[in-house]
Amino acid sequence: MHTQKHKDRLIGRVRRLKGQLEGVERALHGEAPCGEILRQLASIRGAISGLTAEVMEHHLREHVLEAETEADRRLGGEELMGVLRTYLK
């Protein structure tokens, strides 16, 4: 599975996201200016989008483009369409 192949990289990204979220929490406790908090939130949103795009790309490659059977390809495509519908809401 592609998430296992790239596990260390993905976990690294998740850990950085955790750190960024903790930074927002510290900023709120420290009564940081809203502009600073908004910049941190924008950075987090970008990081989540990047992580999502990476997992989607690997899914597309492994479960659609390089699927072993037409049934696997169809299932992989259906899964990705479902995720895209949710993601784009």
Side-chain angles (χ1 to χ4, degrees), residues 39-50:
R39 279 189 291 282
Q40 288 177 316
L41 291 171
S43 177
I44 291 167
R45 182 174 187 227
I48 288 174
S49 292

Side-chain angles (χ1 to χ4, degrees), residues 3-13 15-16:
T3 53
Q4 294 305 307
K5 288 183 210 174
H6 304 281
K7 178 172 66 174
D8 291 339
R9 179 181 167 90
L10 296 173
I11 288 173
R13 292 183 83 149
R15 287 183 178 152
R16 284 190 293 282

Side-chain angles (χ1 to χ4, degrees), residues 33-71:
C34 61
E36 179 181 325
I37 294 168
L38 287 168
R39 279 189 291 282
Q40 288 177 316
L41 291 171
S43 177
I44 291 167
R45 182 174 187 227
I48 288 174
S49 292
L51 175 60
T52 302
E54 183 174 349
V55 175
M56 282 184 182
E57 179 183 344
H58 293 304
H59 177 87
L60 180 61
R61 288 188 191 283
E62 185 166 313
H63 298 290
V64 179
L65 298 177
E66 300 170 3
E68 291 184 17
T69 67
E70 184 58 33

Side-chain angles (χ1 to χ4, degrees), residues 81-89:
M81 284 190 295
V83 168
L84 285 171
R85 276 189 214 100
T86 302
Y87 184 73
L88 296 173
K89 283 186 179 179

